[in-house]
Amino acid sequence: MKSNIIRITIVLLATLFLAGCNDFLKTSPTDRVSDQLVWQNTKYADLYINNFYAYFDRYGVFGNDQFSGNMTEGLTNTLKYGSYQPGSKAGDSNNYVFYPERISTSQNLLNVWNSTYERIRRINEFLESMYRLSNFTVEQKTLYEAQARFFRAYCYFQLAKRHGGVILYTDINFQKSKNRSSAEETWNLISSDLDFAADNLPEEWDAQNAGRLTKTMVWAFKSRAMLYAERWQDAKDAADKVVSSGKYSLEAEYADAWKGSNAEAIIQVLYNQVSGPNHIFDKSYCPYGDYLASGADENGGCAGPTQEMVEAYEAADGSVVDWSPWHQKTTQTPPYDQLEPRFHATVLYNGATWKGAVMDITPTGEHGRYMDYRADNYAKGRTVTGYYLRKLMDETKKNVVQYPSQQTWVELRLAEVYLNRAEAEFRLQNNGAALADLNVIRARVNLPARTGIAGDALFNAIRHERMIELAYEGHLFWDMRRWRLADKEYNNYRVHGLRITGTAPDYTYEYVDADLQDRKFLAKTYVLPIPDSEITTNTGVEQYDEWK
């Protein structure tokens, strides 16, 4: 089946002449395309709107805007960063889970307020100038508007999931005396923009425009957004349209599900190592041995899965594994070989094969290396949990230092749509339908179907499936916030790992505290604050009650 591909390579062309958009719209410069010419030529208008497609990259796991370059899983019990020094991909996540009171109106690494409003302004400028200056047909204008309004909804979603109700602008009058709207009004705008996009975008584009937003892509995203809005019927209806379209199918192997350019990928971002854009995910998270092979050991191993995450996996037959023997020092080999396929596709562990080598994650290991937390300022390729990420990494990449990464970022795939619908069906008390969607996901990895559960048991099954299936794709932290469970489950706890010593096959495994102090989550941070910069310049806005 055909996959929809967001070709960010053409976005760079748009950026070349859209830089300084305010001046561009007001003057007729000689060194760039003029505003009048843009709106007389669809070729230039296409380049203009292509700029918005880059937002998928900005807020994705390979981008910098979700949590200042860190993975939000570092704020959960599933991922541990190895450094305690402040810095992106270093100690920022640890500092936030140990000292959440550091989040303030002036310092907030989860804040995307200013950059997102800048993007919303650019989208509104696009719409205003198109209708004011273009000589396009009604049909052409509608197609551009549908794409632009999707991205406006996408940007407002990034704000709403952090703050709830925010300041709403649907024109270019970004007045600095405007208060925020309610959460309901904010979600109304998001829903309205998505509905307009879905109603007016095609099922498919021609070959020249392949990869642009389609109806199905919009519905898929709406199934996500409406879960946050707690509009269960809307989420279900959107997911229904994606599934019934028949345009996508689950990949046969979970290890391929999140790699993109396949039948499961709905929205994805392509990168190019040579011409760009590209990213440095491998350089940041690779095992110790990958850096040695590249002639350096300064980086890598920034964060690794926790023992809590490993223990969350079921056995391949669906049974629960008893990990209690490994909560003390033991020479027994952990039951990694018993675990279901998603574990092996997600986590690198002692004894796993990676790039043709067997991982030896001991304090002196060559292909992996263990380090006690706080034994050094930075991880330098070492892991403080005894595990590395396998998922999202490029196993074919030989030199992680000299060459950037180019693996695809899948913003949204069909498995998420099934899980979105399962949750919506549960909220609508359609337990059988919720179970059916869960079991579609489980069937791919040959796990037995869930049957005969309802209430808390069913909700916990949905939670479990989302955590495992969508691991490290940027969902868990935000799920725990929207479920209002983070203050209950992410308080007064620590994450753990396994310190492995000895040589194969005579290893000793020791359960270790990888935090050395309790983690905390403050309930007030369910609503993140309006930054001081907005309060200072906007005389009409009122700070959220939690931050007054």
Side-chain angles (χ1 to χ4, degrees):
M1 293 191 180
K2 183 178 179 181
S3 175
N4 292 289
I5 301 172
I6 304 305
R7 299 184 183 279
I8 285 190
T9 50
I10 59 177
V11 169
L12 297 182
L13 299 175
T15 306
L16 291 177
F17 74 87
L18 289 174
C21 195
N22 276 338
D23 295 337
F24 163 63
L25 290 173
K26 293 178 181 178
T27 64
S28 298
T30 58
D31 62 343
R32 67 186 76 175
V33 179
S34 71
D35 51 350
Q36 290 87 357
L37 181 57
V38 165
W39 299 117
Q40 293 174 24
N41 189 324
T42 57
K43 173 184 175 182
Y44 295 131
D46 284 345
L47 291 176
Y48 192 160
I49 204 163
N50 287 346
N51 200 48
F52 306 149
Y53 282 81
Y55 299 166
F56 289 131
D57 162 69
R58 304 295 187 269
Y59 296 105
V61 169
F62 298 158
N64 292 319
D65 284 1
Q66 199 60 225
F67 179 27
S68 300
N70 305 289
M71 296 175 70
T72 53
E73 284 83 359
L75 303 174
T76 76
N77 64 345
T78 65
L79 188 74
K80 171 68 181 179
Y81 278 83
S83 173
Y84 61 90
Q85 294 291 340
S88 178
K89 301 188 182 84
D92 285 346
S93 293
N94 290 322
N95 288 328
Y96 266 38
V97 295
F98 297 144
Y99 312 108
E101 59 273 9
R102 292 183 178 179
I103 297 175
S104 69
T105 59
S106 61
Q107 198 276 356
N108 178 12
L109 297 178
L110 290 162
N111 173 45
V112 296
W113 187 279
N114 293 331
S115 60
T116 303
Y117 272 113
E118 171 65 17
R119 289 162 187 155
I120 291 169
R121 180 181 66 81
R122 290 183 179 274
I123 292 166
N124 288 343
E125 284 175 343
F126 174 92
L127 290 168
E128 190 277 340
S129 57
M130 178 183 70
Y131 278 107
R132 180 169 55 89
L133 298 171
S134 81
N135 58 3
F136 300 158
T137 66
V138 172
E139 180 182 10
Q140 288 171 324
K141 290 178 182 178
T142 301
L143 284 174
Y144 285 124
E145 181 179 355
Q147 293 174 80
R149 288 181 64 174
F150 170 88
F151 286 107
R152 186 168 67 187
Y154 181 76
C155 287
Y156 273 120
F157 170 78
Q158 302 299 333
L159 293 169
K161 76 177 187 178
R162 288 167 168 80
H163 305 281
V166 296
I167 307 170
L168 301 180
Y169 298 102
T170 56
D171 54 35
I172 62 174
N173 182 20
F174 271 49
Q175 55 190 290
K176 285 301 181 181
S177 59
K178 189 173 184 179
N179 201 1
R180 51 187 169 82
S181 296
S182 67
E184 181 180 7
E185 291 167 330
T186 302
W187 290 115
N188 284 345
L189 176 60
I190 292 169
S191 181
S192 175
D193 276 352
L194 292 176
D195 285 345
F196 182 90
D199 288 343
N200 291 285
L201 286 168
E203 295 280 357
E204 295 287 346
W205 292 79
D206 59 24
Q208 184 177 354
N209 289 287
R212 293 195 181 280
L213 289 163
T214 64
K215 290 181 183 294
T216 318
M217 296 167 75
V218 177
W219 290 329
F221 182 76
K222 188 176 181 182
S223 78
R224 176 194 294 178
M226 293 301 99
L227 287 188
Y228 283 79
E230 298 185 354
R231 299 183 181 186
W232 316 120
Q233 189 65 50
D234 289 347
K236 174 195 175 317
D237 291 346
D240 282 345
K241 292 175 181 176
V242 178
V243 174
S244 64
S245 74
K247 294 181 180 296
Y248 306 97
S249 60
L250 296 182
E251 285 292 302
E253 300 293 331
Y254 175 74
D256 297 326
W258 37 267
K259 292 184 178 178
S261 298
N262 57 33
E264 189 164 339
I266 299 176
I267 298 176
Q268 63 180 346
V269 180
L270 296 184
Y271 299 89
N272 187 290
Q273 182 186 88
V274 178
S275 61
N278 43 52
H279 57 88
I280 58 170
F281 194 81
D282 293 285
K283 182 178 180 180
S284 300
Y285 295 95
C286 68
Y288 184 79
D290 286 20
Y291 251 85
L292 288 183
S294 302
D297 64 354
E298 288 80 11
N299 292 296
C302 290
T306 62
Q307 186 64 26
E308 283 73 14
M309 181 63 181
V310 171
E311 294 183 15
Y313 286 94
E314 299 167 64
D317 63 3
S319 61
V320 176
V321 177
D322 178 12
W323 281 91
S324 58
W326 291 274
H327 287 189
Q328 55 193 337
K329 203 168 187 178
T330 179
T331 57
Q332 294 184 65
T333 301
Y336 301 132
D337 61 346
Q338 299 178 29
L339 300 181
E340 58 126 313
R342 291 178 293 188
F343 166 77
H344 296 279
T346 303
V347 179
L348 282 174
Y349 55 92
N350 193 61
T353 300
W354 174 250
K355 297 186 177 180
V358 176
M359 297 295 290
D360 174 21
I361 310 178
T362 64
T364 57
E366 180 179 351
H367 298 292
R369 183 163 291 191
Y370 174 83
M371 174 186 78
D372 286 326
Y373 181 56
R374 285 189 170 269
D376 198 350
N377 289 346
Y378 297 99
K380 299 178 183 177
R382 295 164 292 184
T383 169
V384 297
T385 65
Y387 303 101
Y388 291 95
L389 281 174
R390 182 171 211 144
K391 185 174 181 179
L392 304 179
M393 303 289 289
D394 182 0
E395 191 167 0
T396 68
K397 192 170 184 59
K398 298 186 182 302
N399 191 319
V400 299
V401 176
Q402 185 175 356
Y403 302 106
S405 298
Q406 62 179 11
Q407 60 265 42
T408 300
W409 165 242
V410 179
E411 169 71 18
L412 209 158
R413 57 190 178 90
L414 183 61
E416 183 198 336
V417 175
Y418 275 113
L419 291 169
N420 293 345
R421 189 169 69 172
E423 183 176 344
E425 294 281 21
F426 165 74
R427 302 292 187 180
L428 295 168
Q429 300 184 9
N430 300 327
N431 293 344
L435 281 169
D437 281 337
L438 280 190
N439 290 333
V440 168
I441 301 300
R442 293 174 64 80
R444 169 167 47 195
V445 290
N446 297 314
L447 285 173
R450 302 274 193 193
T451 59
I453 56 174
D456 289 345
L458 178 53
F459 177 61
N460 288 335
I462 293 170
R463 285 183 55 190
H464 171 84
E465 218 59 49
R466 287 186 69 90
M467 180 177 72
I468 298 298
E469 176 69 27
L470 304 177
Y472 307 114
E473 295 179 40
H475 293 279
L476 180 59
F477 173 68
W478 304 106
D479 282 346
M480 292 293 284
R481 283 170 51 88
R482 65 184 178 84
W483 292 329
R484 292 296 192 267
L485 290 174
D487 65 312
K488 300 172 181 63
E489 298 188 19
Y490 289 164
N491 255 319
N492 302 315
Y493 78 104
R494 302 183 184 190
V495 301
H496 299 83
L498 290 183
R499 180 194 292 122
I500 307 162
T501 54
T503 57
D506 300 317
Y507 291 113
T508 297
Y509 299 85
E510 183 179 358
Y511 190 67
V512 294
D513 177 352
D515 275 340
L516 306 182
Q517 67 185 96
D518 288 348
R519 296 184 175 209
K520 295 183 291 183
F521 183 94
L522 300 181
K524 68 181 290 185
T525 62
Y526 279 133
V527 177
L528 295 176
I530 299 174
D532 286 339
S533 58
E534 181 71 32
I535 298 293
T536 301
T537 59
N538 185 346
T539 59
V541 73
E542 182 182 359
Q543 183 62 268
Y544 298 104
D545 291 342
E546 292 85 348
W547 297 93
K548 289 180 179 177

